Amino acid sequence: LVDTSDLSDRIAKVDDFQGELWTTLNLAISQFSDLIVHKKEFASKSIAKESDAFREKLSSFRKLWKSATSHIFNDLASDELEVISSNINSLSKDFSLLESEARLILETCHEFQIQAPDLEVVNVLKDEVKLVQQRSHHLLEYSLSLDELRNKKWTSFQSNLSDLDDFVYKWSHVVKDWDDIV
């Protein structure tokens, strides 16, 4: 006959030990879950603060942008256009930084599965910045080309008439797709 009482005691101890392990594991998982919830709430608050700060930066940029572009198509003197075009290019670079920041905020929200702020205005501004930058470049180029024509010696007008036709043809095609003037 085999004595199984010792074996039964050992199995009971293993069952108790496994029960303690499961209890400890469940407690650790619960604590970890609580930590994740806490971190997610903290990240959400941080992202909300970043979003608010970003909206303020964006609002400041929009004011600067409106100020810089409000008179762009009124003064066509080439020296002023160079300054305006330079300002537009500088603001475009600033906008690129804002656009990168907006992308980072959206990516962070996605990573943490947090409701992303509405940043559609960034896409609208992106299109406007690109359009105004392109048109200011065209106006500067136009002004420089016009100055070049003005500085030609027109004593032999007939020989330079083709230059005038080329100028009109080129710039009529450049601006024909402009639906409006920003």
Side-chain angles (χ1 to χ4, degrees):
L1 213 61
V2 176
D3 185 14
T4 59
S5 63
D6 187 41
L7 186 58
S8 298
D9 288 340
R10 286 184 185 180
I11 291 175
K13 286 180 184 177
V14 167
D15 286 342
D16 288 343
F17 180 71
Q18 283 181 337
E20 288 176 23
L21 280 179
W22 281 113
T23 302
T24 304
L25 181 61
N26 284 333
L27 181 63
I29 289 172
S30 175
Q31 289 173 347
F32 185 69
S33 180
D34 291 345
L35 179 66
I36 288 175
V37 167
H38 174 72
K39 292 291 185 181
K40 187 174 179 180
E41 288 172 2
F42 179 77
S44 180
K45 289 176 184 176
S46 295
I47 291 170
K49 286 179 186 176
E50 286 179 29
S51 294
D52 290 343
F54 176 77
R55 282 190 189 98
E56 288 178 27
K57 288 181 194 175
L58 192 59
S59 177
S60 296
F61 174 83
R62 289 178 81 184
K63 287 176 187 172
L64 284 172
W65 181 253
K66 188 171 185 170
S67 172
T69 60
S70 63
H71 62 281
I72 187 172
F73 298 107
N74 296 339
D75 299 318
L76 296 178
S78 63
D79 57 336
E80 291 178 23
L81 278 176
E82 288 180 27
V83 171
I84 291 170
S85 184
S86 175
N87 289 342
I88 295 295
N89 288 335
S90 176
L91 285 171
S92 296
K93 290 176 184 172
D94 293 345
F95 179 74
S96 293
L97 295 174
L98 284 174
E99 190 178 17
S100 297
E101 191 174 337
R103 222 179 357 264
L104 181 63
I105 289 171
L106 293 175
E107 288 171 2
T108 304
C109 287
H110 179 72
E111 276 182 37
F112 285 98
Q113 299 174 348
I114 297 170
Q115 178 72 30
D118 181 20
L119 299 177
E120 184 59 33
V121 69
V122 173
N123 292 331
V124 172
L125 267 173
K126 178 182 179 180
D127 294 340
E128 184 178 330
V129 167
K130 183 178 178 183
L131 180 69
V132 170
Q133 188 177 23
Q134 178 186 23
R135 289 185 181 176
S136 69
H137 175 74
H138 282 149
L139 285 174
L140 179 60
E141 191 178 333
Y142 167 81
S143 180
L144 294 173
S145 296
L146 186 59
D147 287 347
E148 187 179 303
L149 272 179
R150 283 186 191 134
N151 293 333
K152 280 193 175 193
K153 297 201 187 279
W154 289 91
T155 52
S156 55
F157 183 76
Q158 195 172 16
S159 65
N160 292 322
L161 196 55
S162 64
D163 292 345
L164 185 59
D165 284 339
D166 292 343
F167 176 82
V168 170
Y169 177 79
K170 175 186 176 183
W171 289 106
S172 65
H173 280 80
V174 167
V175 297
K176 78 176 181 180
D177 295 329
W178 290 16
D179 298 339
D180 60 345
I181 295 184
V182 175

